[in-house]
């Protein structure tokens, strides 16, 4: 049974070990430039992968689709979802909205997003990302887009208290080259990129990765192109009954990572926090008002 919450990419990955050699070759070809690689005719897809047309037909049925047309229809739906603008997204939700209060509908959507995201998130991915973020020999760089920039800033604000060598990059791509200039091999670039992906973000990730920078990306269930350059990818569900995508699950994972890094080096973190509180006390601008007698 195919799940509506799973992408074609998810289905391919889930069945990969059970595919024949030729089918694996086809699967790798489809994933290489996903989802565009699967939008051509069955003959074109077969030729691009270096396999026969019957191999394509057999594999899509093995994945659970009735045939190539249904397989391709799912890809078209995914592509439409990734480029849908807020107005189209609102109209789609409004047409199918149940007759219940928005609080209930939104809560249900968020809970489903959380359940689906955690079901697909490997603890090994989380643990490795936490280790990279906690390694004080590495500099951390945070960047997001027009909307996700707020998530990048939130993550940065906490991490700069926990550890040194953290930098928040502007969402303006023109300022990125000087940051890339300072990045050293082994540093970590944390990227937030959800649908209506930003081409500049992919270029940044590609250049940084070529220079030995490790990349952690927070994206959605359709996956930003940045993911192909990332060491750790958090593929999180973001759909909500709104013109906007939900950031709840992304923020949940970010806060869990903050706690994991903080706990792994609590002695150092506590010392930094105490020092910071002392600096706040010394700064006139942040001095607490004296209690009146």
């Amino acid at each position: 049974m195919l799940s509506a919450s799973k992408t074609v990419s998810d289905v391919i990955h889930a069945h990969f070990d059970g595919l024949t050699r030729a089918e694996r070759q086809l699967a790798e070809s489809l994933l290489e430039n996903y989802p565009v690689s699967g939008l051509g005719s069955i003959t074109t897809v077969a030729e691009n992968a270096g396999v026969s047309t019957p191999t394509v037909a057999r594999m899509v049925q093995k994945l659970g689709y009735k045939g190539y047309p249904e397989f391709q229809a799912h890809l078209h739906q995914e592509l439409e979802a990734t480029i849908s603008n807020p107005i189209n997204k609102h109209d789609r939700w409004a047409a199918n909205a149940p007759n219940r209060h928005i609080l209930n509908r939104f809560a249900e959507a968020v809970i489903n997003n959380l359940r689906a995201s955690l079901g697909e998130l490997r603890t090994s991915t989380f643990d490795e990302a936490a280790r990279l973020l906690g390694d004080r020999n590495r500099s951390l760089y945070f960047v997001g887009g027009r909307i996700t920039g707020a998530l990048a800033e939130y993550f940065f604000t906490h991490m700069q208290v926990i550890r040194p060598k953290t930098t928040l990059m502007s969402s303006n791509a023109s300022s990125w080259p000087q940051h890339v200039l300072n990045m050293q091999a082994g540093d970590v670039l944390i990227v937030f990129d959800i649908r209506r992906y930003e081409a500049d973000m992919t270029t940044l990730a590609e250049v940084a990765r070529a220079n030995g920078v490790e990349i952690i990306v927070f994206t959605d269930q359709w996956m930003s192109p940045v993911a192909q350059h990332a060491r750790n990818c958090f593929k999180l569900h973001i759909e909500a009954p709104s013109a906007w995508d939900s950031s709840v699950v992304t923020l949940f994972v970010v806060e869990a990572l903050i706690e994991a890094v903080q706990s792994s080096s609590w002695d150092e973190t506590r010392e930094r926090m105490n020092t910071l509180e002392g600096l706040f006390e010394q700064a006139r601008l942040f001095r607490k008002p004296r209690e009146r007698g």
Side-chain angles (χ1 to χ4, degrees), residues 65-139:
Y65 301 99
K66 294 178 180 178
Y68 188 74
E70 184 185 40
F71 168 81
Q72 199 169 68
H74 279 258
L75 287 175
H76 279 290
Q77 290 170 6
E78 285 183 35
L79 189 60
E80 180 183 356
T82 62
I83 62 176
S84 65
N85 62 45
I87 296 175
N88 291 339
K89 190 169 180 291
H90 175 271
D91 291 345
R92 187 175 74 247
W93 274 107
N96 299 294
N99 188 24
R100 290 186 290 134
H101 195 280
I102 182 60
L103 284 173
N104 293 327
R105 289 188 283 123
F106 212 95
E108 183 177 335
V110 168
I111 291 170
N112 288 337
N113 284 344
L114 183 59
R115 184 180 294 111
S117 299
L118 290 179
E120 297 169 3
L121 176 56
R122 295 182 178 180
T123 54
S124 58
T125 298
F126 181 93
D127 292 343
E128 184 179 25
R131 182 184 62 78
L132 288 174
L133 293 167
D135 187 346
R136 298 186 177 214
N137 292 320
R138 304 173 188 265
S139 293

Side-chain angles (χ1 to χ4, degrees), residues 139 141 167 176-185 187 211 213:
S139 293
Y141 294 84
T167 300
W176 294 350
Q178 50 263 45
H179 290 297
V180 175
L181 180 66
N182 291 329
M183 293 179 186
Q184 302 294 319
D187 287 347
N211 290 330
V213 175

Side-chain angles (χ1 to χ4, degrees), residues 69-277:
E70 184 185 40
F71 168 81
Q72 199 169 68
H74 279 258
L75 287 175
H76 279 290
Q77 290 170 6
E78 285 183 35
L79 189 60
E80 180 183 356
T82 62
I83 62 176
S84 65
N85 62 45
I87 296 175
N88 291 339
K89 190 169 180 291
H90 175 271
D91 291 345
R92 187 175 74 247
W93 274 107
N96 299 294
N99 188 24
R100 290 186 290 134
H101 195 280
I102 182 60
L103 284 173
N104 293 327
R105 289 188 283 123
F106 212 95
E108 183 177 335
V110 168
I111 291 170
N112 288 337
N113 284 344
L114 183 59
R115 184 180 294 111
S117 299
L118 290 179
E120 297 169 3
L121 176 56
R122 295 182 178 180
T123 54
S124 58
T125 298
F126 181 93
D127 292 343
E128 184 179 25
R131 182 184 62 78
L132 288 174
L133 293 167
D135 187 346
R136 298 186 177 214
N137 292 320
R138 304 173 188 265
S139 293
L140 306 184
Y141 294 84
F142 298 82
V143 66
R146 184 172 62 92
I147 301 297
T148 56
L151 294 170
E153 183 176 2
Y154 181 86
F155 203 175
F156 159 78
T157 299
H158 287 77
M159 292 301 296
Q160 71 168 340
V161 176
I162 295 172
R163 49 154 297 164
K165 300 169 70 174
T166 57
T167 300
L168 176 64
M169 298 170 58
S170 166
S171 57
N172 184 353
S174 64
S175 67
W176 294 350
Q178 50 263 45
H179 290 297
V180 175
L181 180 66
N182 291 329
M183 293 179 186
Q184 302 294 319
D187 287 347
V188 184
L189 174 64
I190 299 93
V191 177
F192 291 81
D193 193 30
I194 61 173
R195 61 179 169 184
R196 302 189 82 185
Y197 312 119
E198 302 186 31
D200 289 339
M201 205 73 80
T202 304
T203 302
L204 170 65
E206 184 177 5
V207 172
R209 188 71 192 95
N211 290 330
V213 175
E214 303 290 358
I215 296 172
I216 298 173
V217 61
F218 292 83
T219 184
D220 50 45
Q221 58 261 48
W222 302 283
M223 285 206 302
S224 160
V226 171
Q228 63 184 311
H229 305 293
R231 176 166 177 173
N232 298 113
C233 176
F234 290 95
K235 191 178 71 166
L236 307 170
H237 290 249
I238 61 171
E239 283 273 56
S242 166
W244 309 99
D245 291 317
S246 172
S247 298
V248 173
V249 177
T250 306
L251 188 58
F252 167 85
V253 175
V254 165
E255 292 192 332
L257 281 169
I258 290 171
E259 170 56 25
V261 176
Q262 175 181 277
S263 297
S264 68
S265 57
W266 175 241
D267 289 342
E268 294 90 341
T269 299
R270 180 173 54 191
E271 183 177 347
R272 285 177 63 85
M273 292 175 73
N274 285 333
T275 301
L276 182 61
E277 288 299 316

